[in-house]
Structure formats: structure tokens, C-alpha cells
Amino acid sequence: MNNDLYAVVGHPISHSKSPRIHSLFASQTGEALEYTAIQAPLDDFAGTVHGFFARGGKGLNITVPFKEQAWDLADRRTDRAAKAGASNTLYRDADGTLIADNTDGHGLVQDLDNHGVTLANARILVLGAGGAVRGVIAPLLARHPASLTIANRTLAKAEALVQLFTPDAQGTELNACGFEQPDRPFDLIINGTSASLQGDLPPVSANVIGADTVVYDMMYSLQTTTFNQWALDRGARHVFDGLGMLVEQAAESFRIWRGVRPETAPVIEELRND
């Protein structure tokens, strides 16, 4: 019997940990599947997707730079994909309808839960206003923090996100500002910029770090990320990187496709030790 086919699509894609993660999930759960990485041409993402499903493929994960194109390509979007404006998970239902979902926000919140971070009534600062941040705002608001401040280099982009998610705020104080404006400690700071990948820092004040501040960098690295090291040097209580988020969003995709939720802790540990 042939295994069901799944893949991650991006450009570039050779660095992706998704094949390793889903291979570990399959071994753990006994699910018969094959998961590969596909580098799509920048000018023919749609052809890559349609070709994959035409060959009998069952589901795709989507990574940069195609998440918005995946959203556009879908026949139907889940509520969380609709809000995120991007999709990292595609699949077809029994009728052949191409459905877009977004599991990034679920992955972040689940990993924060794994680390024992309390979101209810927390004062949260989110750095950045791009697609990575847009995908996590609604799941964060669903946990009813006291306040959520979106800081970004271009203020208008942060303000646009506040306007978009105000209907989801449900009593949470939702604010937008530039990077330099926050000047008091927060309970949780989430770095949604890609600055750490270049070894750079968003220009935020050290005053956002207090003795009880938890910092989460959505980027991940074998070493402490640049932003997390900056936070530790300024007295943050705990810092975490985005490897757990990566595994948790993958587990949610796996559940959508297979109806089985894998255990994530042993997979995260194995990746840390690779």
C-alpha cells in the first residue's frame, strides 16, 4: 500500500525542519505517510500546488514567501486563516475543495502553555506587524490578556492590525506604537520581527524588561537568539525561542490531516539534540 503524500512548499526550502518533524510524528503515531520538501518557482506557486494535489497529494504546509499566495489560492478559508490573511496549511476535503488553514497562532499559544506562561490578564508587547504577527494576534486575544501592544517600525502597519483585530479584543486594551515608544515593563514580550536572523535588534527601550518579564522570540537558533540574549542581559526572567512553536504548529497541521494529535515534547527534545 502506498503511503499518503504530504510536503512543505517554500523558496528556499532545503533548510526546513518540517520533513524531520513530520517523520517523527508518523513514527510516533504509526501513521503511514511520506513527507517531503518542495521548492516552488517564485513565479509558479499555484502550478506547484495544483500539480501536487493532481498527483494524489493529501496536504501541504506552506512557508515563506508563499503564505499569502496560499491564502489567495484556496477555495475556502477557516476562520483563523481568514483573520491571519495567510495560510501555512492546505488540504482538500472530500469534495475536492481546497481549504486554507493557519496553525501558526495555535502553535505559539500552545508553546507558551508548554512553558507555563500565563496569558490571561497579562500585559503583552508584540514586536513587528508583518504576516508572522498577524497570524498570532487572534489566538493571543482569545486568552484575554489585560493589554496587547503592537510596536512596529512603520506605525501605520501596527495601527492597521489594531483596527483589524479590535472586534476580537473582548475587553483587552489593544494599542499600536513605534518601536521606541514603550517605556515600561511588560509581562510578556514576543519578538515577531526577523531581526534575530540577521543578528540585529528592533530599537526598543531596555525599560520594557522587568524582573518578571518573559521573552519569546519567534525565530529559533542552536544558540540563544540575539533578541533573547539582549533580554537576558537586561534581567528578563525567562526567554524562549520559536522551535516549540514550529513543532506545535506542525502538530496542529498533522491533526487536521490525520485526525491524530502527536506528542510534541519528545520531538522538540529530539530536535534540540540534533
Side-chain angles (χ1 to χ4, degrees):
M1 184 177 71
N2 292 332
N3 291 345
D4 290 339
L5 300 178
Y6 297 87
V8 58
V9 178
H11 189 118
I13 199 62
S14 60
H15 67 285
S16 176
K17 294 184 182 294
S18 292
R20 172 92 168 120
I21 292 168
H22 284 274
S23 173
L24 291 169
F25 287 164
S27 296
Q28 177 196 121
T29 60
E31 292 290 303
L33 61 88
E34 178 183 343
Y35 189 108
T36 61
I38 300 172
Q39 180 160 301
L42 292 174
D43 60 354
D44 194 23
F45 170 73
T48 300
V49 171
H50 292 313
F52 175 81
F53 285 109
R55 294 192 300 274
K58 299 295 185 181
L60 289 172
N61 284 130
I62 310 298
T63 188
V64 291
F66 299 123
K67 290 185 179 184
E68 287 79 14
Q69 289 186 53
W71 192 90
D72 289 333
L73 193 63
D75 302 313
R76 183 167 68 81
R77 302 168 188 95
T78 65
D79 288 345
R80 58 189 177 184
K83 271 294 184 185
S87 171
N88 74 332
T89 305
L90 292 175
Y91 60 99
R92 280 183 167 165
D93 67 10
D95 299 325
T97 301
L98 185 62
I99 300 172
D101 205 339
N102 189 307
T103 67
D104 286 331
H106 175 94
L108 171 65
V109 171
Q110 186 61 52
D111 196 40
L112 289 167
D113 285 348
N114 293 345
H115 292 302
V117 178
T118 300
L119 297 175
N121 299 314
R123 295 164 300 157
I124 301 175
L125 173 63
V126 179
L127 303 176
V133 167
R134 180 171 167 173
V136 304
I137 297 298
L140 288 170
L141 289 172
R143 295 300 188 90
H144 308 292
S147 66
L148 194 153
T149 300
I150 303 170
N152 192 54
R153 192 178 309 276
T154 305
L155 177 59
K157 290 184 177 180
E159 290 174 334
L161 289 186
V162 167
Q163 184 174 6
L164 177 65
F165 288 101
T166 291
D168 300 275
Q170 304 176 64
T172 296
E173 180 186 340
L174 196 52
N175 304 300
C177 63
F179 280 139
E180 297 85 356
Q181 285 177 265
D183 198 40
R184 61 181 176 85
F186 288 81
D187 299 312
L188 172 64
I189 300 173
I190 298 170
N191 181 26
T193 75
S194 59
S196 283
L197 293 177
Q198 288 82 42
D200 295 330
L201 290 166
V204 294
S205 167
N207 293 338
V208 300
I209 305 290
D212 293 322
T213 300
V214 174
V215 171
Y216 192 102
D217 194 336
M218 289 168 64
M219 302 299 111
Y220 60 89
S221 171
L222 291 176
Q223 292 80 37
T224 305
T225 70
T226 301
F227 187 78
N228 281 353
Q229 188 59 57
W230 174 87
L232 284 172
D233 291 343
R234 281 146 189 84
R237 180 162 59 96
H238 294 301
V239 299
F240 305 108
D241 72 10
L243 182 63
M245 175 181 173
L246 177 71
V247 175
E248 291 293 349
Q249 64 80 25
E252 179 68 358
S253 293
F254 194 93
R255 181 197 66 78
I256 291 165
W257 294 329
R258 308 300 295 185
V260 177
R261 176 172 293 285
E263 294 292 325
T264 53
V267 174
I268 294 169
E269 183 177 359
E270 187 143 351
L271 291 175
R272 290 279 185 210
N273 294 328
D274 275 354

